[in-house]
Amino acid sequence: MKDVRGTKLSIGKQVCIQEDIPSVNGMLYKNTMVKVEALDESKVQVQDRSGKLWWVAYNQVSASFL
């Protein structure tokens, strides 16, 4: 699976959130660094620094942030 810029994603890799993502459990802010926990056909599960798990679309993350 690939991110918004075409970089291949893998479990355990650090990625950057590309847009604010609101939910009933809080807000995942743009430019937040998260870790990939699981990959699905249409979404990727990431974990933020507080330990929360989020399901986001592949076009909402980028592995090429440096």
Side-chain angles (χ1 to χ4, degrees):
M1 299 302 170
K2 297 187 178 188
D3 68 357
V4 67
R5 297 185 187 191
T7 306
K8 186 173 180 183
L9 297 178
S10 60
I11 295 175
K13 189 170 188 174
Q14 291 281 348
V15 294
C16 182
I17 299 298
Q18 295 297 299
E19 60 187 63
D20 290 340
I21 304 170
S23 79
V24 295
N25 296 322
M27 175 80 92
L28 188 56
Y29 291 101
K30 181 178 181 176
N31 297 327
T32 302
M33 297 302 297
V34 294
K35 183 173 79 169
V36 176
E37 291 292 323
L39 301 170
D40 194 15
E41 291 295 321
S42 61
K43 21 182 201 182
V44 58
Q45 186 179 37
V46 296
Q47 182 179 23
D48 63 9
R49 287 187 176 184
S50 68
K52 275 188 176 179
L53 295 173
W54 304 80
W55 283 101
V56 298
Y58 284 100
N59 64 354
Q60 294 175 319
V61 297
S62 173
S64 48
F65 48 85
L66 297 176

